[in-house]
Amino acid sequence: MSAIDFKLLKQDGKARLGSLTTPHGIIDTPIFMPVGTQATVKAMTPEELKQVDARIILANTYHLYIRPGHELIARMGGLHKFMGWDRPLLTDSGGFQVFSLSELRKITEDGVRFQSHLDGSYHTISPEGAIAIQEALGADIIMCFDECPPYPAEYQYVSTSMELTSRWAKRCKEAKKRQDQALFGIVQGGMYPELRAQSAADLREIGFDGYALGGLSVGEAPNLRYELMECCSGLLPTEQPRYVMGIGTPEDLVEGVYSGYDMFDCVMPTRNARNGMLFTSSGRINIKGAAYTEDSGPIDPECSCYVCRNYSRAYLRHLFRSGEILAARLNTWHNLHYYLALMTDMRAAIAADRFEDFRREFYAKRQ
Amino acid sequence: MSAIDFKLLKQDGKARLGSLTTPHGIIDTPIFMPVGTQATVKAMTPEELKQVDARIILANTYHLYIRPGHELIARMGGLHKFMGWDRPLLTDSGGFQVFSLSELRKITEDGVRFQSHLDGSYHTISPEGAIAIQEALGADIIMCFDECPPYPAEYQYVSTSMELTSRWAKRCKEAKKRQDQALFGIVQGGMYPELRAQSAADLREIGFDGYALGGLSVGEAPNLRYELMECCSGLLPTEQPRYVMGIGTPEDLVEGVYSGYDMFDCVMPTRNARNGMLFTSSGRINIKGAAYTEDSGPIDPECSCYVCRNYSRAYLRHLFRSGEILAARLNTWHNLHYYLALMTDMRAAIAADRFEDFRREFYAKRQ
């Protein structure tokens, strides 16, 4: 009995319209999940996340394990209560951050020993440990502990790594105790389709509540990413959610949905917002540009968000140049609205059997 | 014909309950004005300022003159429209910042030549220039350009400076053109009561829509400040608003109201919030304290603000230690709520003829 229930409502080509029921509510798919690394989606309150139509957010296990600690969060009533978010939550396993943030790390069959990026202290996370941390945090969906190989990487390295990830996945499933959390397996295998196929087969044999592609958006060209997503979606069960981790650009999301994936997450809308880069229906703009000095128009004339309804590009440029916190807030608000409205538009297009047209129009507007 | 109308509704001792009508709305007095230095009260939206019951906010002429420029703001429709704030606004004259932020400055009869703290460029602000800048910004209440002497300062220096401020005040009144803005005079004179008396007499002879005390909270002991406020309130007209600039602590506000002042502003609630210092009914706390690590209670059990209703001290401590923008936001929200609720409580106490009791209870809670 899974803690979640996924209903595939319809397909338009490979693009899928679905409904994912979790212990904290129902999510229409395909969906983008804003990233709340340290128990907060940077610069946003839970109420504002609801205003931009966030249905589920992601928190980072590694960061919360390091600070303030998963046991503290458990004693405070779990992550939902701690951060004041009553809708669904997903936690990654910590694997990606262990490999990307730790300066020193040692991988063994048992797990990974690494140094904290904050204070240099030593820690070990095993598959069982990653599950225990995620059970303490209490997200609706938790992830297997995996090794995320670098890009580019040799076939032999990726193959060995993928096999380790499969063995760890089995241990994660066996270690899991809580019945109110769903566990997703993570398909690895780098840019080698045959390794991805083996990984997917291994994970399907173990059996998970959903399946993710890991190890993407690590430096590869977009076309390679899209080819890999395309070839992998056929390897995954149709009756369960498919999640591409850590992507991406608006184009990535459109291509991901086109290839049949249901869930996405990325720091791009929030991180870029803090750097002044804003997404619009006709492409990206950088709000610090001199062209906006006396521009009384909104970020995007086609956007209905709070920011576009209330503030001019001139004011947003002034806030950004002045280093004001409100700049980070309003930019983040707009970008998250853009991402979530894009998902809403894609769901509507699938429902209307016009996803191909939607995709063509999406690219036409950006030219 | 003044652009504002002040009604003194009642007095309880020297404490005054009033109603100040401005072109952008009515303000119940005594009132605290949050500071929005760069056309934003740091970390807050206009909607949130209304939620904490801000009736009027202050913007800094010097900062807006330097960036983005008062003429740009005028072309964008004025400061109210530029920052999306439709309630009353007050701008200072820039005098205080010219003296506190500029490394180089030269005072002449005509005005002050100074270097921008941002890029070292040279500028001159005269009394006429300060009025022109403030007319371009378009606040409901604007201030005379004054010299703010340092503390401590010799009698002779302060005397000469005060006389210059009086001459500048006359020029400010003569330079003012817009009929929809009120102009306040600024009483200077340092810590010398006789110079303050002369300054007040000079300004009253010129005639202003309201009167402010400048040059306080510049390093003097609180008791000296309170004595000076006490002696100066009798020098000012009863039928016009009295404003003490740049104070202060909650204690300063209580003593200011006690001495008969109506308006206050200070960066303390917002600046201290960003440093983790929070005001409560029983005194100040620093949220980074280890004592709050697993404290599931609110900042202040007596507080009804959004932050105290939704977040624990443990979560706020985590956000602050993690350097999260949400920490600055929530801390600022709480502190502004505290300051504005304090003013509401003082108005209620005056209305009920119990300000003496209120003041006694205020101090008793902090012991």
Side-chain angles (χ1 to χ4, degrees):
Chain A
M1 183 64 194
S2 174
I4 59 170
D5 178 51
F6 181 68
K7 284 196 182 16
L8 181 59
L9 302 175
K10 84 183 293 281
Q11 280 194 225
D12 176 14
K14 286 189 176 180
R16 294 148 52 102
L17 188 70
S19 174
L20 178 61
T21 301
T22 78
H24 286 84
I26 297 173
I27 303 155
D28 300 324
T29 62
I31 191 68
F32 176 80
M33 304 182 284
V35 179
T37 298
Q38 302 192 108
T40 163
V41 174
K42 290 188 192 302
M44 300 284 284
T45 63
E47 291 76 17
E48 288 163 354
L49 290 169
K50 291 179 182 178
Q51 285 189 58
V52 297
D53 201 28
R55 313 289 183 95
I56 172 172
I57 61 178
L58 179 149
N60 290 125
T61 293
Y62 168 89
H63 288 278
L64 296 175
Y65 163 77
I66 296 284
R67 181 179 60 198
H70 57 292
E71 290 169 341
L72 183 150
I73 290 177
R75 286 191 296 270
M76 299 302 295
L79 186 54
H80 283 93
K81 185 173 177 199
F82 185 59
M83 67 185 291
W85 175 252
D86 58 9
R87 290 187 180 180
L89 271 173
L90 182 148
T91 44
D92 63 10
S93 66
F96 181 80
Q97 278 77 24
V98 164
F99 290 101
S100 63
L101 290 178
S102 305
E103 289 200 21
L104 290 173
R105 57 178 184 265
K106 191 181 171 197
I107 310 168
T108 64
E109 184 69 29
D110 185 51
V112 186
R113 184 163 167 79
F114 63 95
Q115 268 194 298
S116 157
H117 74 293
L118 282 186
D119 63 6
S121 58
Y122 284 95
H123 302 264
T124 299
I125 295 185
S126 63
E128 292 78 11
I131 296 299
I133 296 169
Q134 292 184 84
E135 290 191 330
L137 295 174
D140 300 75
I141 298 172
I142 66 177
M143 304 297 297
C144 284
F145 191 64
D146 60 332
E147 187 194 345
C148 183
Y151 174 82
E154 298 290 330
Y155 183 92
Q156 192 51 52
Y157 180 89
V158 178
S159 172
T160 303
S161 166
M162 179 274 289
E163 287 168 3
L164 180 65
T165 287
S166 290
R167 292 193 297 276
W168 283 358
K170 189 158 190 288
R171 284 165 56 187
C172 284
K173 183 165 179 190
E174 286 166 359
K176 180 174 179 288
K177 294 191 197 77
R178 279 180 68 158
Q179 299 302 308
D180 60 345
Q181 296 181 297
L183 177 63
F184 281 23
I186 303 177
V187 174
Q188 289 289 358
M191 301 303 153
Y192 303 103
E194 63 271 39
L195 296 182
R196 291 281 179 176
Q198 182 61 51
S199 179
D202 290 350
L203 298 177
R204 290 182 70 159
E205 190 176 319
I206 301 166
F208 289 99
D209 301 309
Y211 296 85
L213 294 192
L216 288 184
S217 216
V218 289
E220 77 283 2
N223 279 349
L224 186 53
R225 185 182 318 140
Y226 300 156
E227 282 170 28
L228 201 90
M229 288 198 298
E230 175 77 18
C231 89
C232 286
S233 79
L235 307 171
L236 302 177
T238 55
E239 67 277 12
Q240 285 169 305
R242 300 167 176 170
Y243 165 25
V244 188
M245 303 186 80
I247 72 166
T249 62
E251 292 80 2
D252 285 349
L253 300 186
V254 170
E255 295 310 308
V257 171
Y258 180 71
S259 298
Y261 295 90
D262 311 299
M263 302 166 70
F264 306 89
D265 80 281
C266 194
V267 295
M268 182 169 276
T270 46
R271 178 177 292 165
N272 287 18
R274 298 194 304 281
N275 295 324
M277 205 232 81
L278 303 174
F279 294 94
T280 81
S281 48
S282 55
R284 305 176 186 193
I285 69 171
N286 195 309
I287 198 63
K288 70 171 170 282
Y292 309 123
T293 306
E294 299 201 20
D295 188 335
S296 60
I299 299 170
D300 183 353
E302 293 190 19
C303 180
S304 64
C305 84
Y306 163 75
V307 183
C308 288
R309 281 185 286 107
N310 287 282
Y311 303 96
S312 66
R313 287 170 166 182
Y315 182 61
L316 294 168
R317 177 175 187 265
H318 164 67
L319 291 179
F320 185 81
R321 279 166 35 97
S322 302
E324 285 288 348
I325 289 172
L326 191 57
R329 291 187 57 185
L330 298 180
N331 292 350
T332 301
W333 190 314
H334 169 81
N335 275 358
L336 283 179
H337 177 95
Y338 175 87
Y339 266 63
L340 289 159
L342 176 63
M343 302 312 292
T344 302
D345 291 347
M346 287 200 275
R347 291 195 300 270
I350 300 169
D353 279 316
R354 58 178 304 280
F355 191 76
E356 279 278 13
D357 287 344
F358 171 87
R359 183 169 169 243
R360 192 162 42 242
E361 289 156 14
F362 170 83
Y363 285 109
K365 276 189 183 176
R366 317 201 137 221
Q367 280 159 8
Chain B
M1 183 65 194
S2 174
I4 58 170
D5 178 51
F6 181 68
K7 284 196 181 18
L8 182 58
L9 302 176
K10 82 183 296 281
Q11 280 193 226
D12 177 15
K14 288 189 175 181
R16 293 147 54 101
L17 189 70
S19 175
L20 178 61
T21 302
T22 78
H24 285 85
I26 298 173
I27 303 154
D28 299 325
T29 63
I31 192 67
F32 176 80
M33 304 182 284
V35 179
T37 298
Q38 303 192 108
T40 163
V41 174
K42 289 188 192 303
M44 299 284 283
T45 63
E47 292 76 17
E48 288 163 354
L49 289 169
K50 291 179 181 177
Q51 286 189 56
V52 297
D53 201 28
R55 313 288 183 96
I56 172 172
I57 62 178
L58 179 149
N60 290 124
T61 293
Y62 169 88
H63 288 279
L64 297 175
Y65 163 78
I66 296 284
R67 181 179 60 199
H70 57 293
E71 290 168 341
L72 184 150
I73 291 176
R75 286 192 296 270
M76 299 301 295
L79 186 55
H80 283 94
K81 187 175 176 199
F82 186 60
M83 67 185 292
W85 175 252
D86 58 8
R87 290 188 180 179
L89 271 172
L90 182 148
T91 44
D92 62 10
S93 66
F96 181 78
Q97 278 78 24
V98 163
F99 292 100
S100 63
L101 290 179
S102 305
E103 289 199 21
L104 291 172
R105 56 176 184 266
K106 189 180 172 199
I107 310 169
T108 64
E109 185 68 29
D110 184 52
V112 186
R113 183 164 169 79
F114 63 95
Q115 268 194 297
S116 157
H117 74 293
L118 281 187
D119 62 7
S121 57
Y122 284 94
H123 303 263
T124 299
I125 295 185
S126 63
E128 292 79 10
I131 296 299
I133 296 169
Q134 292 183 84
E135 291 191 331
L137 296 173
D140 300 76
I141 298 173
I142 66 178
M143 304 297 298
C144 283
F145 191 63
D146 59 332
E147 187 193 345
C148 184
Y151 174 82
E154 297 291 329
Y155 183 91
Q156 192 51 51
Y157 180 90
V158 177
S159 173
T160 303
S161 164
M162 178 273 289
E163 288 167 2
L164 180 66
T165 288
S166 290
R167 292 193 296 277
W168 283 359
K170 191 159 188 290
R171 286 165 55 188
C172 285
K173 184 167 179 190
E174 287 165 359
K176 179 175 178 290
K177 294 189 198 79
R178 280 181 67 157
Q179 299 302 309
D180 59 345
Q181 297 182 296
L183 178 62
F184 281 23
I186 303 177
V187 173
Q188 289 289 355
M191 302 302 154
Y192 304 103
E194 62 270 40
L195 295 182
R196 292 280 179 176
Q198 183 59 51
S199 178
D202 290 351
L203 297 177
R204 290 183 69 158
E205 191 177 318
I206 301 166
F208 290 99
D209 301 309
Y211 296 86
L213 295 191
L216 288 184
S217 214
V218 289
E220 77 282 3
N223 279 348
L224 187 53
R225 183 181 318 142
Y226 301 156
E227 281 170 28
L228 200 89
M229 289 198 297
E230 174 77 19
C231 88
C232 285
S233 78
L235 307 170
L236 301 177
T238 54
E239 67 277 12
Q240 286 169 304
R242 300 166 176 170
Y243 165 25
V244 188
M245 303 187 79
I247 71 167
T249 62
E251 292 79 1
D252 285 350
L253 300 185
V254 170
E255 295 309 307
V257 171
Y258 180 71
S259 297
Y261 295 91
D262 311 300
M263 302 165 69
F264 306 90
D265 81 280
C266 194
V267 295
M268 183 170 276
T270 46
R271 179 177 292 166
N272 287 18
R274 297 195 303 281
N275 295 324
M277 206 230 80
L278 303 174
F279 294 94
T280 81
S281 48
S282 55
R284 305 176 186 193
I285 68 170
N286 195 309
I287 199 62
K288 71 171 169 281
Y292 308 122
T293 306
E294 299 201 20
D295 187 335
S296 60
I299 298 168
D300 183 352
E302 292 190 19
C303 180
S304 64
C305 84
Y306 164 74
V307 184
C308 288
R309 281 185 286 108
N310 288 282
Y311 303 97
S312 65
R313 288 171 164 181
Y315 182 61
L316 294 168
R317 177 175 187 265
H318 164 67
L319 291 179
F320 185 81
R321 279 169 31 100
S322 303
E324 286 288 347
I325 288 172
L326 192 57
R329 291 187 57 184
L330 298 180
N331 292 350
T332 300
W333 190 314
H334 169 81
N335 276 359
L336 283 180
H337 176 96
Y338 174 86
Y339 266 63
L340 289 159
L342 177 63
M343 302 312 293
T344 302
D345 290 347
M346 286 201 275
R347 291 196 298 270
I350 299 168
D353 279 316
R354 57 179 306 281
F355 191 76
E356 279 279 13
D357 288 344
F358 170 88
R359 183 169 169 244
R360 191 163 43 242
E361 289 156 14
F362 170 83
Y363 285 110
K365 276 190 183 175
R366 319 200 133 221
Q367 277 158 11

